[in-house]
Amino acid sequence: MITAEQSEKLRVWFAERLPVDVYESLVSVTVDREEITVVGTVPAAESVEEFRERTREQRIEVAREAEELYRRKVAWGVRSGEETTLFTHLAVPVMTRLRQSERQVLDTLVAGGVARSRADALAWCVRLVGSNTETWLAELRESLDKVREVRSQGPDIQKSQPE
C-alpha cells in the first residue's frame, strides 16, 4: 500500500502528462502493487466508445512511460454521470487458505447461484465488504499513513546498536 503523499504525487504526475483534451477532469488515480488505474470525466458531448477511440494513442503513450517508471500496469477508465467504465484492467489471482466454515460460505453462494465458483464467490464477498465499509476502510488507510509517518521519525535501530 502506498502513502497518501505518494498517491498525490502519482496523481500530479498523470495530470501533468495527460494532454488537456483527454479528460474533462481527472477524477482519481488509484494504485496497488500491480496496477495504476486512472479515471477521468468523459466530455459531455462524447460517448464512452468515442472517447476510448479518440484518446487511445495518447493514453498508450502516457501508460508506456508510467509502466516503465512505476513498474505497474496502467488501466484507464471514464466516468459518465454516475457510471464508471474501466478499460483493460487487471484481474489478479490471490491465494488464500480457508477453513471449512469459510469454504461453506463460498459453497453456499455458489449453490445459491450468486457466484459461479468459489473464486467468484470470494470476489463477491470482497466487493460486498468494500461497498459496505468504505468509511471504515478509508479510516484504516489514514491510520496506516500515520503509522508510516511515526515510524519514519523514530530512531534508526541500525545506527544505535553497539558494535
Side-chain angles (χ1 to χ4, degrees):
M1 214 170 137
I2 68 168
T3 65
E5 181 182 333
Q6 291 169 326
S7 183
E8 182 56 27
K9 285 181 181 178
L10 191 61
R11 180 182 170 79
V12 168
W13 187 92
F14 276 93
E16 289 174 348
R17 277 158 186 80
L18 284 170
V20 175
D21 66 337
V22 170
Y23 287 122
E24 196 168 86
S25 65
L26 187 59
V27 174
S28 65
V29 177
T30 309
V31 64
D32 67 9
R33 287 186 276 176
E34 293 84 18
E35 182 177 36
I36 301 167
T37 304
V38 182
V39 177
T41 306
V42 66
E46 196 169 39
S47 72
V48 172
E49 294 78 20
E50 291 168 336
F51 169 87
R52 191 173 183 188
E53 281 303 312
R54 177 182 63 81
T55 63
R56 184 181 313 274
E57 292 303 318
Q58 295 163 309
R59 290 183 293 108
I60 287 172
E61 187 177 319
V62 173
R64 282 187 182 137
E65 186 179 352
E67 288 171 2
E68 185 175 319
L69 182 62
Y70 296 109
R71 301 285 185 233
R72 292 172 172 90
K73 288 293 187 185
V74 176
W76 299 93
V78 294
R79 181 164 297 155
S80 179
E82 294 299 313
E83 188 173 323
T84 299
T85 304
L86 297 178
F87 314 138
T88 60
H89 53 286
L90 298 177
V92 178
V94 177
M95 297 295 292
T96 187
R97 295 180 187 275
L98 300 175
R99 304 229 182 266
Q100 186 179 37
S101 62
E102 298 161 329
R103 294 189 310 268
Q104 287 174 336
V105 170
L106 301 181
D107 291 343
T108 300
L109 293 171
V110 172
V114 173
R116 293 175 299 192
S117 64
R118 284 181 171 177
D120 285 344
L122 187 56
W124 182 88
C125 291
V126 170
R127 286 191 302 273
L128 181 65
V129 169
S131 67
N132 289 314
T133 59
E134 189 53 42
T135 301
W136 180 81
L137 288 171
E139 289 176 15
L140 183 59
R141 289 180 190 111
E142 289 173 17
S143 297
L144 290 171
D145 287 343
K146 184 65 177 169
V147 167
R148 286 186 194 101
E149 180 183 322
V150 170
R151 278 187 188 153
S152 71
Q153 295 169 359
D156 186 348
I157 301 296
Q158 301 301 325
K159 290 182 180 176
S160 62
Q161 291 180 350
E163 294 180 34

